Coordinates of all heavy atoms in Angstrom, one line a residue:
S71 N 0.8 -1.2 0.0 CA 0.0 0.0 0.0 C 0.8 1.3 0.0 O 0.3 2.3 0.1 CB -0.9 0.0 1.2 OG -0.1 -0.1 2.4
F72 N 2.2 1.2 -0.1 CA 3.0 2.4 0.0 C 3.5 2.6 -1.4 O 4.5 2.0 -1.9 CB 4.2 2.1 1.0 CG 4.9 3.4 1.4 CD1 4.2 4.4 2.0 CD2 6.2 3.5 1.1 CE1 4.9 5.5 2.4 CE2 6.9 4.7 1.5 CZ 6.2 5.7 2.1
W73 N 2.9 3.6 -2.1 CA 3.2 3.8 -3.5 C 2.9 5.3 -3.8 O 2.3 6.0 -3.1 CB 2.5 2.9 -4.4 CG 1.0 2.9 -4.2 CD1 0.3 2.2 -3.3 CD2 0.1 3.7 -5.0 NE1 -1.1 2.5 -3.4 CE2 -1.2 3.4 -4.4 CE3 0.2 4.5 -6.0 CZ2 -2.4 4.0 -5.0 CZ3 -1.0 5.1 -6.6 CH2 -2.2 4.8 -6.0
L74 N 3.2 5.7 -5.0 CA 2.9 7.0 -5.5 C 2.5 7.0 -6.9 O 2.7 6.0 -7.6 CB 4.1 8.0 -5.3 CG 5.4 7.6 -6.1 CD1 5.4 8.2 -7.5 CD2 6.6 8.1 -5.3
M75 N 1.9 8.1 -7.4 CA 1.5 8.2 -8.8 C 2.3 9.3 -9.4 O 2.5 10.3 -8.9 CB 0.0 8.6 -8.9 CG -1.0 7.4 -8.5 SD -0.7 5.9 -9.5 CE -1.2 6.5 -11.1
I76 N 2.7 9.0 -10.6 CA 3.4 10.0 -11.4 C 2.5 10.4 -12.6 O 2.1 9.6 -13.4 CB 4.7 9.4 -12.0 CG1 5.6 8.9 -10.9 CG2 5.4 10.4 -12.9 CD1 6.7 8.0 -11.3
C77 N 2.0 11.6 -12.5 CA 1.1 12.1 -13.5 C 1.9 13.2 -14.3 O 1.9 14.4 -14.0 CB -0.1 12.7 -12.9 SG -1.1 11.5 -11.9
D78 N 2.6 12.8 -15.4 CA 3.5 13.6 -16.1 C 3.0 14.1 -17.4 O 3.7 14.8 -18.1 CB 4.9 13.0 -16.2 CG 4.8 11.7 -16.9 OD1 3.7 11.2 -17.3 OD2 5.9 11.1 -17.2
H79 N 1.8 13.8 -17.8 CA 1.2 14.3 -19.0 C 0.0 15.1 -18.7 O -1.2 14.7 -18.9 CB 0.8 13.1 -19.9 CG 2.0 12.3 -20.4 ND1 2.5 11.3 -19.7 CD2 2.7 12.4 -21.5 CE1 3.5 10.7 -20.3 NE2 3.7 11.4 -21.4
H80 N 0.2 16.3 -18.2 CA -0.9 17.3 -17.8 C -1.3 18.0 -19.1 O -0.5 18.9 -19.6 CB -0.3 18.3 -16.8 CG -0.6 18.1 -15.4 ND1 -1.2 19.0 -14.6 CD2 -0.5 17.0 -14.6 CE1 -1.3 18.6 -13.4 NE2 -0.9 17.3 -13.4
L81 N -2.4 17.7 -19.6 CA -3.0 18.5 -20.7 C -4.4 19.0 -20.3 O -4.9 18.5 -19.3 CB -3.0 17.6 -22.0 CG -1.7 17.2 -22.5 CD1 -1.8 16.2 -23.6 CD2 -1.0 18.4 -23.1
T82 N -5.0 19.9 -21.0 CA -6.3 20.4 -20.7 C -7.4 19.4 -20.9 O -8.4 19.5 -20.3 CB -6.6 21.7 -21.4 OG1 -6.5 21.5 -22.8 CG2 -5.6 22.8 -21.0
T83 N -7.2 18.5 -21.8 CA -8.2 17.5 -22.2 C -8.0 16.1 -21.6 O -9.0 15.3 -21.7 CB -8.3 17.4 -23.7 OG1 -7.0 17.0 -24.2 CG2 -8.8 18.7 -24.4
Y84 N -6.8 15.8 -21.1 CA -6.6 14.5 -20.4 C -5.4 14.6 -19.5 O -4.6 15.5 -19.6 CB -6.5 13.4 -21.5 CG -5.2 13.4 -22.3 CD1 -4.0 12.8 -21.8 CD2 -5.2 14.0 -23.5 CE1 -2.9 12.8 -22.6 CE2 -4.0 14.0 -24.3 CZ -2.8 13.4 -23.8 OH -1.7 13.4 -24.5
L85 N -5.3 13.5 -18.7 CA -4.2 13.4 -17.8 C -3.7 11.9 -17.8 O -4.6 11.0 -17.7 CB -4.6 13.8 -16.4 CG -3.7 13.5 -15.2 CD1 -2.5 14.5 -15.3 CD2 -4.4 13.7 -13.9
R86 N -2.4 11.7 -18.0 CA -1.9 10.3 -17.9 C -1.1 10.1 -16.7 O -0.2 10.9 -16.3 CB -1.1 10.0 -19.1 CG -0.6 8.6 -19.2 CD 0.0 8.2 -20.5 NE 0.5 6.8 -20.5 CZ 1.0 6.2 -21.6 NH1 1.1 6.9 -22.7 NH2 1.4 5.0 -21.5
C87 N -1.4 9.0 -15.9 CA -0.7 8.7 -14.7 C -0.2 7.3 -14.7 O -0.8 6.4 -15.2 CB -1.7 8.9 -13.5 SG -2.4 10.5 -13.3
Q88 N 0.9 7.1 -14.0 CA 1.5 5.8 -13.8 C 1.9 5.6 -12.3 O 2.3 6.5 -11.7 CB 2.8 5.7 -14.7 CG 2.5 5.8 -16.1 CD 3.8 6.0 -17.0 OE1 4.6 6.8 -16.6 NE2 3.9 5.2 -18.0
A89 N 1.7 4.4 -11.8 CA 1.9 4.1 -10.4 C 3.3 3.6 -10.2 O 3.9 2.9 -11.1 CB 0.9 3.1 -9.9
G90 N 3.8 3.8 -9.0 CA 5.1 3.3 -8.7 C 5.3 3.3 -7.2 O 4.4 3.7 -6.4
Y91 N 6.4 2.7 -6.7 CA 6.7 2.7 -5.3 C 7.2 4.0 -4.8 O 7.6 4.9 -5.6 CB 7.7 1.6 -5.0 CG 7.1 0.2 -5.2 CD1 7.6 -0.6 -6.2 CD2 6.2 -0.3 -4.3 CE1 7.1 -1.9 -6.3 CE2 5.7 -1.6 -4.4 CZ 6.1 -2.4 -5.4 OH 5.6 -3.6 -5.6
A92 N 7.1 4.2 -3.5 CA 7.5 5.5 -3.0 C 9.0 5.9 -3.3 O 9.4 7.0 -3.2 CB 7.3 5.5 -1.5
D93 N 9.8 4.9 -3.6 CA 11.2 5.1 -3.9 C 11.4 5.6 -5.4 O 12.5 5.8 -5.8 CB 12.1 4.0 -3.6 CG 11.8 2.7 -4.4 OD1 11.0 2.8 -5.3 OD2 12.5 1.7 -4.2
G94 N 10.3 5.6 -6.1 CA 10.3 6.1 -7.5 C 10.4 5.0 -8.5 O 10.3 5.3 -9.7
T95 N 10.6 3.8 -8.1 CA 10.6 2.7 -9.1 C 9.2 2.3 -9.5 O 8.3 2.4 -8.8 CB 11.3 1.4 -8.5 OG1 10.6 1.0 -7.3 CG2 12.7 1.7 -8.1
A96 N 9.1 1.9 -10.7 CA 7.8 1.5 -11.3 C 7.3 0.3 -10.7 O 8.0 -0.6 -10.2 CB 7.9 1.3 -12.8
N97 N 5.9 0.2 -10.6 CA 5.3 -1.1 -10.1 C 4.5 -1.7 -11.2 O 3.4 -1.2 -11.4 CB 4.4 -0.8 -8.9 CG 3.8 -2.0 -8.3 OD1 4.0 -3.1 -8.8 ND2 3.1 -1.9 -7.2
Y98 N 5.0 -2.7 -11.8 CA 4.3 -3.4 -12.8 C 3.9 -4.8 -12.4 O 3.5 -5.6 -13.2 CB 5.1 -3.4 -14.1 CG 5.5 -2.1 -14.6 CD1 6.7 -1.6 -14.6 CD2 4.4 -1.3 -15.1 CE1 7.0 -0.3 -15.1 CE2 4.7 0.0 -15.6 CZ 6.0 0.5 -15.6 OH 6.3 1.7 -16.0
A99 N 4.0 -5.1 -11.1 CA 3.7 -6.4 -10.6 C 2.2 -6.5 -10.2 O 1.7 -7.6 -10.2 CB 4.6 -6.7 -9.4
Y100 N 1.6 -5.4 -9.7 CA 0.3 -5.5 -9.2 C -0.6 -4.4 -9.9 O -0.2 -3.3 -10.1 CB 0.3 -5.2 -7.7 CG 1.1 -6.2 -6.9 CD1 2.4 -5.8 -6.4 CD2 0.7 -7.5 -6.7 CE1 3.2 -6.7 -5.7 CE2 1.5 -8.4 -6.0 CZ 2.7 -8.0 -5.5 OH 3.4 -8.9 -4.9

């Protein structure tokens, strides 16, 4: 349960977000 979201595609019509662990590594396991 300890993770963060990286939302790096801020546009006026949409937002893209990717989840990762709190240390910044991506989480593609769950």
Side-chain angles (χ1 to χ4, degrees):
S71 59
F72 194 60
W73 56 277
L74 60 87
M75 288 303 294
I76 302 165
C77 299
D78 56 357
H79 295 87
H80 260 230
L81 294 168
T82 59
T83 56
Y84 71 86
L85 173 69
R86 185 170 179 177
C87 298
Q88 298 167 312
Y91 289 112
D93 66 2
T95 58
N97 180 357
Y98 299 110
Y100 301 105

